[in-house]
Amino acid sequence: MARQKPPLIQPAADPVLPDPDVISGREPTVQVQLQRIPVTQALGETSFIPVCEPSLDGNELEYVTEAIRTNWISSAGRYIPEFEEKFAAACDAEYGVACTNGTAALHLTMAVLGLEPGDEVILPTFTMIATPNCVRYTGATPVLVDSETTTWNFDLNQVEDAIGPKTRAIIPVHTYGHPVDMDALNELADKHGLWVVEDAAEAHGARYKGRRVGSLGDAACFSFYGNKIITTGEGGMITTNNEQIAELGRNLRDHAFSTERHFWHRYVGFNYRMTNLQAAVGVAQTEKLDDYVAARRHNSALYSELLAKIDGIRTPPEAGDVENVFWMYGVLVDPDVFGMSRNDLREALAARGIETRTFFIPIHFQPIYHAQYEGQSFPVAEAFCANGMYLPSASSLTDSQVRYVVAAVGEIASAV
Ligand SMILES: *Cc1c(COP(=O)(O)O)cnc(C)c1O
C-alpha cells in the first residue's frame, strides 16, 4: 500500500495587526474615462493613467534584432559585457555582474559575503520583500530598523543600536530613489567592520554628494524589472569597486564552475545568468538613463509644486546633498487634514482613470516574518504603510497628465 507523501509547502499564518485597516485589501478598479470630468480634456481621447510603464523609445529593437540575427540569444554574446561595462560606468563603479533579476543580485551578493545561519544583517522594515528574503536564503537573520521621516530611509541611529556581535552586513535601501546618507553609514560600518550592500533597485542614476549610487558601499544591487527606471524585462546587476566581489559574483552566477577543471565546483553556485537578449535591451536603456532620470525629476518637481496647494498631502523628500530620482512619486495622506483616508482617495482617483499603488507593507507585518519581530514596533514604517501611496510615476508621463492627476486630487479634496 502506498504511504502518504510529505506535505507540500505550507503558508504562514496572518499576523494579528494592531490596526487591520493599515493594510488595504482589494485594489480599486481603475475606470477608463471618456471625457466624463472637465479636467479630462487635458488628456485628449482617453484618460487611463497607469501607475508606471516602461519607456522603450531608444535602440532596444535594433539591438535585440541584432542579437537574434547573429544567433546569440543565450548567456554568451557581446551585449552582456557591454551592458555590464556601460551600466557600471553610469554608476561610477568599476565592475558590473549582470544576472537574472534584482533579487538574484542581492542573493548572489549575500552568498559572496559567505553569510551563514546565526549571522545577522541590518536592513529597513520598510522595504520590498526581496531585501530580507535574500538574507533568509543564506540562513542568516534580517534585523529590522524603522525609517526616518526626513528621507523615508532607515534611521542611522537605530542602525547603530542594532549592531551586535553577530552583525555581518548592512543593507541600505535607497527608498523610492532617495539615497541613504552613505558617508555616515560607511563610517559606522567601518568602525564595526561590517559589509555595506546598497539595495539600489529603486535608485538608478540617483546621486549622493555628486556621486552615483551603486558605487557607495562594498557592492550594490540593481533591478531591471519592468517598472524600474530602466528595464530589461527581468534583470539585475551587482555593481562594485571590489574586484574580488565581482569575480566571486560572476563565478557563483554560473554554477561556480572551477577555472582549472571543468565540472568541478568548490562553491554552491546558482544559475542566475542574464541572456544576451535582455542585455541588448539593457544597453539601449542605459543610453537613455539620464533622460529618464531627468524626466522623473521634472515630473516630481511639477507634482510637488502643484500639490503644495492642497492641504493634507505630504510630498516626497529630498533631504541633504542628494538627487532623488523619484522611482515612484510617493505621497502621504493625512486623513484628518485631507478629510479622507488614503484608501478612499485611491478609490476616487481610480474612478477618474488614475491608477495608484499603496506603499510597501513593512517586513515585520508579513505572515512569513512577523513572529520573529513580535513585540518590536516600527511606528514610522507603520504610518507609511497606512497613509502612503504612489501617484503615476512613469518617465513617459506628460505635464498635462501630471496636471490632470493633481486637479483630480484637488477636486476630490474640495468635494469632501
Ligand atoms: C524591485 C526591488 C527588488 C527586487 O528586484 P526584482 O528584479 O524584482 O527581483 C529588490 N529590492 C527593492 C527595494 C526593490 O524595489
Side-chain angles (χ1 to χ4, degrees):
M1 224 192 39
R3 287 178 56 185
Q4 186 158 18
K5 301 178 193 210
L8 297 175
I9 188 170
Q10 297 295 302
D14 286 347
V16 180
L17 295 179
D19 172 10
D21 288 342
V22 157
I23 296 169
S24 78
R26 185 183 54 80
E27 284 295 305
T29 312
V30 185
Q31 305 289 331
V32 175
Q33 296 292 315
L34 291 168
Q35 312 268 333
R36 196 171 67 81
I37 50 172
V39 278
T40 312
Q41 261 114 47
L43 296 175
E45 288 292 299
T46 60
S47 62
F48 167 70
I49 308 182
V51 72
C52 200
E53 63 183 343
S55 294
L56 298 164
D57 51 357
N59 292 319
E60 291 80 5
L61 194 56
E62 185 190 327
Y63 297 165
V64 171
T65 304
E66 202 260 0
I68 291 174
R69 284 228 171 95
T70 56
N71 229 19
W72 288 98
I73 59 162
S74 194
S75 51
R78 74 176 179 94
Y79 286 116
I80 297 161
E82 191 178 335
F83 182 36
E84 291 177 333
E85 248 164 61
K86 290 192 166 155
F87 186 76
C91 302
D92 303 332
E94 200 145 344
Y95 308 98
V97 180
C99 56
T100 44
N101 55 59
T103 308
L106 284 163
H107 184 199
L108 266 180
T109 309
M110 295 303 121
V112 166
L113 300 185
L115 295 182
E116 290 177 354
D119 293 342
E120 292 180 352
V121 178
I122 298 168
L123 52 101
T125 189
F126 188 70
T127 186
M128 190 254 178
I129 198 70
T131 321
N133 276 357
C134 74
V135 175
R136 255 295 290 277
Y137 297 158
T138 66
T141 305
V143 171
L144 304 180
V145 298
D146 204 1
S147 308
E148 57 183 17
T149 52
T150 43
T151 63
W152 298 1
N153 288 321
F154 65 3
D155 179 331
L156 294 190
N157 293 317
Q158 294 184 42
V159 171
E160 181 157 28
D161 292 343
I163 296 172
K166 297 178 183 167
T167 312
R168 298 287 171 266
I170 304 173
I171 307 182
V173 179
H174 305 302
T175 311
Y176 300 145
H178 191 301
V180 168
D181 183 355
M182 291 299 293
D183 283 353
L185 180 64
N186 283 324
E187 196 181 309
L188 197 59
D190 286 344
K191 189 168 121 195
H192 294 273
L194 304 173
W195 295 107
V196 173
V197 178
E198 298 171 76
D199 183 340
E202 306 176 354
H204 315 63
R207 283 197 162 88
Y208 171 78
K209 298 185 178 171
R211 289 173 286 152
R212 283 258 159 103
V213 307
S215 59
L216 304 175
D218 295 296
C221 299
F222 287 89
S223 164
F224 305 114
Y225 177 62
N227 71 5
K228 300 295 158 105
I229 293 182
I230 66 172
T231 183
T232 59
E234 295 281 359
M237 199 182 295
I238 304 169
T239 59
T240 180
N241 290 318
N242 181 319
E243 190 182 358
Q244 259 185 307
I245 290 179
E247 262 178 30
L248 282 165
R250 200 156 279 151
N251 186 232
L252 294 192
R253 162 182 78 177
D254 186 20
H255 298 298
F257 280 107
S258 159
T259 46
E260 311 96 79
R261 194 165 167 195
H262 205 64
F263 298 124
W264 190 249
H265 305 272
R266 289 200 180 94
Y267 307 105
V268 178
F270 313 92
N271 175 0
Y272 281 165
R273 298 179 303 246
M274 178 181 267
T275 69
N276 199 46
L277 292 171
Q278 293 164 293
V281 176
V283 170
Q285 288 272 296
T286 304
E287 293 167 355
K288 303 281 283 192
L289 174 62
D290 290 345
D291 293 349
Y292 296 156
V293 166
R296 261 157 148 115
R297 287 182 56 78
H298 167 85
N299 290 336
S300 298
L302 184 59
Y303 262 133
S304 293
E305 181 199 324
L306 299 171
L307 284 168
K309 292 164 199 136
I310 301 172
D311 291 333
I313 300 285
R314 216 140 92 259
T315 57
E318 188 169 62
D321 185 3
V322 302
E323 269 180 43
N324 188 344
V325 287
F326 304 97
W327 165 56
M328 288 294 170
Y329 186 83
V331 296
L332 293 167
V333 181
D334 181 337
D336 296 329
V337 181
F338 187 72
M340 188 187 265
S341 71
R342 181 271 317 270
N343 292 351
D344 290 343
L345 174 57
R346 291 190 68 215
E347 291 281 354
L349 288 170
R352 287 167 168 77
I354 298 164
E355 190 181 37
T356 60
R357 200 66 93 237
T358 58
F359 275 17
F360 300 127
I361 298 172
I363 301 308
H364 68 284
F365 277 174
Q366 299 294 339
I368 48 177
Y369 285 113
H370 75 99
Q372 253 175 278
Y373 306 99
E374 200 76 67
Q376 297 182 40
S377 94
F378 305 90
V380 178
E382 291 171 21
F384 288 171
C385 172
N387 301 319
M389 61 187 246
Y390 326 141
L391 297 177
S393 302
S395 304
S396 57
L397 208 66
T398 62
D399 281 11
S400 66
Q401 286 178 315
V402 172
R403 288 179 194 284
Y404 172 72
V405 172
V406 178
V409 175
E411 261 183 25
I412 293 161
S414 53
V416 290

